[in-house]
Amino acid sequence: MEWIDAETAKATLNRWGSGARPFFFLSDFSGDRFLVSFVDELDPRELAFIFPGGRNVDETPVDPKDFVWEPHPPTPEDYHRRFDIVQRNMLAGNSYLANLTCRIPLTTSLSFKEVFFRSKARYRLLLHDSFVCFSPEIFVKMDHGQIRSFPMKGTISCDVPQAEATLMADEKEAAEHATIVDLIRNDLSQVASHVHVARYRYVERLHTNCGDILQTSSEIVGDLPDDYRHHIGDILMAQLPAGSITGAPKPKTVEIIREAEGYDRGFYTGVAGVCADGELDSCVLIRFIDKEKGQLYFKAGGGITAKSDWKKEYQEIIEKTYVPFR
């Protein structure tokens, strides 16, 4: 595999976008490292993926009956300190939505391969001995002259009494979701016309080893230019980094979360996708385990607004530290 920069990736995506030969692309969060490769040239021993829009590996039954799963989350005090950095910037008017994430040391008996094949997730990606991702979140889809985005914001454990009603009635969650929908509408309007919200704040249920959770998403749709297949790279680059895992306004919020988080996200919250004949399917790389100097880390985050309660946000981080199987 060859890693390339953003300009080279954009030119390649533009060149290949109208062709019939399926290709795969991957970007880290910062937009410094890209991979663009024809699917039939990807060695699944190095990089394997199973997406709704394509795959390069067959399913392999893996069923670890008993396994160790021990996340070591930050202390409440450490999380509160990082949270305060974000909220101080909000009070100063520098941001009104920020996605604050944590790097959580993880002890587990599961291998990356076991997580990859056992997970029940919409998007699965395995980069050999580097990371495994089991993401539920669509980034953008392009087909039949339209572009769609599905920002995911709002999470609650199904153990909470009347969980769905509680989630939908939460003023903070509603405000956070409205803000991200507005941000994504603005992002799509840079590349599409007649942008509108087709579905607002619908609920999906996810199964995890720690119990089921509910999450809310919206569907935002726009009409692409007739020649969009020749500008796939331009369209994608205009959307990066993904609004749902940064915040608003995007450039300043990226600076704030880098200060607050204190670590390099790497490929976590980057994007990956497949494309052929101008039909594109892609995801945001959330629900993510990687390895650094022999230590495994689970990376998880959540949206912060001026109305956020740090204790609830901390609990949401705990709830998101899961693998999607029982």
Side-chain angles (χ1 to χ4, degrees):
M1 297 185 300
E2 180 184 358
W3 300 105
I4 56 179
D5 61 27
E7 286 303 312
T8 306
K10 180 168 68 173
T12 305
L13 292 166
N14 286 340
R15 191 167 63 252
W16 290 0
S18 59
R21 190 177 174 189
F23 62 89
F24 173 89
F25 60 90
L26 167 66
S27 167
D28 66 357
F29 169 68
S30 64
D32 294 326
R33 298 179 72 195
F34 286 81
L35 170 70
V36 184
S37 173
F38 289 115
V39 171
D40 57 16
E41 293 181 357
L42 275 177
D43 185 345
R45 294 170 299 181
E46 295 184 352
L47 186 149
F49 72 94
I50 299 177
F51 290 1
R55 64 175 64 191
N56 73 333
V57 65
D58 294 328
E59 293 281 9
T60 300
V62 175
D63 189 20
K65 298 294 184 184
D66 298 304
F67 56 89
V68 175
W69 182 262
E70 296 177 358
H72 308 285
T75 64
E77 294 77 14
D78 183 51
Y79 180 81
H80 194 186
R81 179 181 60 81
R82 299 175 190 278
F83 177 93
D84 279 349
I85 293 173
V86 173
Q87 284 228 314
R88 282 200 304 271
N89 275 278
M90 289 180 171
L91 292 174
N94 297 325
S95 175
Y96 48 93
L97 174 64
N99 193 76
L100 177 63
T101 77
C102 298
R103 183 175 65 166
I104 301 169
L106 174 67
T107 300
T108 182
S109 58
L110 294 166
S111 68
F112 282 173
K113 184 176 180 180
E114 287 172 329
V115 173
F116 176 80
F117 283 111
R118 176 81 181 272
S119 293
K120 305 300 181 186
R122 185 179 283 125
Y123 298 91
R124 285 176 280 164
L125 176 61
L126 170 61
L127 185 63
H128 176 68
D129 208 36
S130 294
F131 71 78
V132 62
C133 179
F134 34 95
S135 177
E137 183 170 355
I138 303 167
F139 176 43
V140 295
K141 289 189 173 185
M142 299 183 210
D143 56 64
H144 302 96
Q146 290 189 315
I147 184 169
R148 291 176 170 82
S149 187
F150 301 80
M152 179 178 286
K153 280 293 173 199
T155 304
I156 194 170
S157 168
C158 289
D159 292 338
V160 175
Q162 299 181 311
E164 182 170 344
T166 300
L167 176 60
M168 297 303 284
D170 189 304
E171 290 185 6
K172 176 266 175 183
E173 296 287 4
E176 178 185 341
H177 199 94
T179 300
I180 201 61
V181 166
D182 207 38
L183 173 62
I184 300 302
R185 286 176 61 187
N186 181 69
D187 282 355
L188 292 187
S189 294
Q190 298 180 50
V191 298
S193 59
H194 306 108
V195 175
H196 63 282
V197 180
R199 289 186 291 166
Y200 185 70
R201 231 179 153 217
Y202 60 88
V203 178
E204 294 180 293
R205 189 183 190 105
L206 303 179
H207 304 297
T208 87
N209 64 309
C210 302
D212 289 4
I213 61 175
L214 299 180
Q215 296 202 292
T216 54
S217 299
S218 288
E219 178 183 5
I220 307 164
V221 184
D223 297 329
L224 291 166
D226 291 340
D227 64 346
Y228 83 90
R229 292 172 178 82
H230 299 284
H231 300 282
I232 295 289
D234 299 311
I235 294 167
L236 281 173
M237 295 299 178
Q239 308 305 304
L240 296 178
S244 65
I245 45 74
T246 51
K250 193 185 289 187
K252 182 60 179 178
T253 302
V254 169
E255 293 180 16
I256 295 166
I257 58 180
R258 280 180 172 153
E259 176 190 355
E261 291 172 353
Y263 78 97
D264 182 355
R265 289 189 182 183
F267 282 97
Y268 171 57
T269 65
V271 301
V274 288
C275 183
D277 284 324
E279 294 192 3
L280 182 143
D281 180 23
S282 65
C283 69
V284 183
L285 300 180
I286 60 172
R287 310 301 188 268
F288 188 99
I289 305 170
D290 64 6
K291 183 185 293 185
E292 299 176 34
K293 298 180 180 178
Q295 172 65 56
L296 295 179
Y297 293 95
F298 192 109
K299 293 174 178 175
I304 309 298
T305 70
K307 294 183 177 181
S308 291
D309 179 332
W310 76 266
K311 293 179 181 178
K312 290 182 179 179
E313 298 300 335
Y314 180 72
Q315 182 59 37
E316 183 174 325
I317 294 291
I318 304 301
E319 290 171 359
K320 287 179 176 176
T321 310
Y322 68 82
V323 280
F325 50 81
R326 299 177 182 176

